[in-house]
């Protein structure tokens, strides 16, 4: 049996002797039949080898138009222009070619090549350096987090257990006001999917230790056992410290899909009604403000929200032609939902019933208003202004601005 090397030689000799490329279609077919019998290969395989040899024969090696000097200049320009994409970089090069030639001390030939280079060629020349930069600093943090994200499964709102208390949705609310710079307060917001029992805790900064401390305080004050926790993808809650805590305490730890707020819809609703409507949209960045907010959260406000604010539950949805008819259950407070649940122990029910019998909603409301007035007074004194609307929604502004002075050549 012939070796593959011998077969390739036979095919090459036959192509040369028969002048294969100039034969008619019928003659080419006869030559192929002869080769099939001689080298014992499939017809399609022989045709493929003939095409490969033809490509090698006709291949013309193009000389490189853009050399090392152009590549080095592009690497410097890519760094100078803050790692822009090839299209933006091309525009900057075209409009500033004279400045670039003077700045980088380029010869006329290199400058002309940079002026005529295409975005696709820029991508090809910068492929290696982009890959290295990306590996070192751009995606390193995301790669570290991907391991944890693989361990924490994704669940949509429909997949969450809402038939018994203990499955929580968790989120954080910023108190940065009109600026996202510096250190300011964050409210940890926790809502039970079954009863909509709500707990809040405010921390200064978004550090994992402070959030973890607030989470433990809130979980310990719940009148039922915690069975599951469902945050979004923010690293202040989705981190190894909280993951290990959930694992040790046998708490199911899941997360919502990125950029899908409706997967965490219950706590997102409470972020407005139980946080924003109470403390407003202003910036709280002092220890005194955080302490006063927590004094409100952990005492009167949690009692008011869970014992005197009824919630409605959706029973069914029926589509009738072009609209959907929704049927809701009778409104009940979170405490009433827990009292009617068979999954809450008798001791917790006795404590809930005792609070229902002894709490005075009017007194609670007076204390809440007094503490909110004190918070407003501290905020106005800090900002030296009496004309502050606490409920005005503020849009964060950029921390720094790039000022470019246009000059003509």
């Amino acid at each position: 049996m012939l070796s593959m090397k011998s077969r390739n030689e036979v095919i090459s000799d036959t192509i040369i002797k028969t002048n294969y490329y100039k034969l008619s279609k019928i003659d080419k077919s006869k030559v192929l039949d002869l080769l099939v019998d001689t080298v014992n290969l499939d017809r399609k395989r022989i045709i493929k080898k003939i095409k490969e040899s033809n490509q090698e024969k006709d291949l013309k090696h193009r000389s490189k138009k853009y050399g090392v000097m152009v590549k080095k200049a592009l690497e410097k320009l890519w760094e100078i222009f803050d790692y822009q994409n090839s299209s933006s970089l091309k525009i900057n090069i075209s409009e500033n070619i004279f400045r670039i030639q003077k700045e980088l001390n380029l010869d006329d030939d290199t400058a002309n090549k940079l002026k005529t280079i295409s975005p696709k060629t820029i991508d090809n020349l910068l492929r290696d350096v982009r890959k290295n930069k990306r590996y070192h600093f751009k995606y390193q943090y995301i790669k570290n987090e991907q391991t944890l994200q693989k361990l924490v499964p994704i669940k949509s709102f429909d997949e969450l257990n809402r038939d018994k208390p203990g499955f929580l949705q968790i989120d954080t609310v910023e108190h940065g006001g009109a600026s996202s710079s510096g250190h300011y307060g964050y409210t940890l917001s926790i809502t039970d999917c079954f009863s909509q029992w709500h707990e809040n805790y405010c921390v200064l900064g978004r550090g994992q230790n402070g959030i973890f401390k607030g989470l433990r305080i809130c979980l310990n004050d719940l009148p039922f056992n915690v069975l599951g926790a469902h945050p979004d993808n923010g690293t202040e809650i989705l981190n190894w410290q909280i993951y290990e805590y959930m694992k040790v305490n046998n708490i199911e730890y899941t997360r919502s899909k990125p950029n899908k707020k409706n997967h965490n819809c219950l706590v997102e609703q409470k972020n407005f009604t139980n946080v924003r409507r109470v403390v407003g949209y202003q910036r709280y960045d002092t220890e005194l403000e955080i302490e006063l907010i927590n004094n409100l959260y952990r005492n009167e406000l949690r009692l008011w929200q869970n014992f005197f604010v009824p919630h409605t539950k959706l029973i069914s949805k029926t589509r009738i032609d072009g609209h959907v008819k929704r049927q809701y259950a009778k409104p009940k407070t979170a405490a009433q939902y827990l009292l009617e649940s068979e999954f809450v122990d008798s001791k917790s029910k006795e404590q809930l019933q005792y609070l229902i019998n002894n709490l005075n909603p009017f007194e609670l409301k007076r204390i809440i208003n007094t503490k909110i007035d004190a918070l407003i007074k501290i905020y106005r004194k800090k900002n030296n202004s009496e004309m502050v609307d606490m409920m005005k929604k503020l849009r964060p502004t950029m921390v720094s601005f790039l000022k470019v002075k246009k000059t003509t050549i």
Side-chain angles (χ1 to χ4, degrees), residues 40-258:
N40 196 22
L41 286 176
D42 185 74
R43 191 182 187 88
K44 292 292 184 183
R45 182 77 178 276
I46 296 172
I47 293 173
K48 186 177 180 181
K49 285 185 174 293
I50 293 173
K51 286 183 178 180
E52 289 174 356
S53 64
N54 190 27
Q55 289 173 359
E56 291 176 3
K57 179 183 176 181
D58 296 337
L59 185 62
K60 294 180 181 179
H61 295 283
R62 292 167 55 187
S63 59
K64 291 185 178 180
K65 181 179 178 180
Y66 304 100
V68 180
M69 294 300 295
V70 175
K71 185 176 181 181
K72 287 184 178 179
L74 279 175
E75 290 176 4
K76 290 181 181 178
L77 291 172
W78 183 56
E79 187 175 354
I80 290 170
F81 287 106
D82 294 331
Y83 312 105
Q84 293 177 353
N85 59 50
S86 57
S87 300
S88 301
L89 189 59
K90 165 66 178 174
I91 293 172
N92 279 318
I93 291 172
S94 300
E95 294 180 353
N96 302 282
I97 188 63
F98 299 110
R99 297 191 187 96
I100 290 170
Q101 185 176 1
K102 184 179 178 180
E103 180 71 24
L104 302 182
N105 295 322
L106 302 177
D107 54 46
D108 293 337
D109 183 51
T110 305
N112 290 331
K113 288 178 180 178
L114 282 174
K115 191 175 180 179
T116 59
I117 197 170
S118 67
K120 180 64 176 178
T121 307
I122 293 175
D123 284 333
N124 293 335
L125 293 175
L126 294 179
R127 183 180 291 113
D128 295 337
V129 67
R130 279 176 174 171
K131 185 177 180 181
N132 293 333
K133 286 284 183 182
R134 216 175 277 125
Y135 177 77
H136 283 299
F137 67 85
K138 193 171 183 181
Y139 295 119
Q140 189 174 9
Y141 177 71
I142 296 175
K143 280 188 175 182
N144 293 336
E145 293 300 324
Q146 282 178 351
T147 306
L148 178 60
Q149 290 180 349
K150 289 178 181 177
L151 295 175
V152 181
I154 292 177
K155 276 192 176 181
S156 65
F157 179 67
D158 293 333
E159 296 174 308
L160 296 178
N161 192 326
R162 289 172 281 166
D163 297 329
K164 59 181 179 180
F167 292 92
L168 310 175
Q169 291 185 357
I170 308 174
D171 197 13
T172 53
V173 183
E174 293 184 358
H175 298 297
S179 175
S180 58
S181 64
H183 217 45
Y184 50 88
Y186 285 81
T187 291
L188 178 68
S189 183
I190 300 174
T191 301
D192 176 47
C193 292
F194 168 76
S195 62
Q196 297 194 37
W197 183 281
H198 191 77
E199 298 283 350
N200 285 336
Y201 190 85
C202 193
V203 296
L204 189 60
R206 204 173 57 163
Q208 295 180 4
N209 290 332
I211 295 292
F212 181 60
K213 176 187 173 183
L215 180 66
R216 290 175 60 184
I217 290 173
C218 292
L219 295 186
N220 289 334
D221 289 346
L222 291 172
F224 47 80
N225 296 325
V226 181
L227 304 176
H230 185 78
D232 55 15
N233 291 268
T235 54
E236 71 276 12
I237 305 173
L238 189 68
N239 56 64
W240 289 103
Q241 187 177 20
I242 295 180
Y243 174 79
E244 293 296 335
Y245 175 81
M246 299 297 176
K247 188 176 179 181
V248 170
N249 291 277
N250 295 321
I251 299 174
E252 182 185 6
Y253 196 39
T254 59
R255 62 187 175 96
S256 60
K257 194 173 182 180

Side-chain angles (χ1 to χ4, degrees), residues 276-293:
R276 291 298 187 195
R277 266 190 5 187
V278 178
V279 298
Y281 293 87
Q282 303 304 319
R283 181 183 178 91
Y284 305 113
D285 52 7
T286 64
E287 292 284 355
L288 183 60
E289 289 170 322
I290 302 302
E291 185 179 348
L292 183 55
I293 291 173

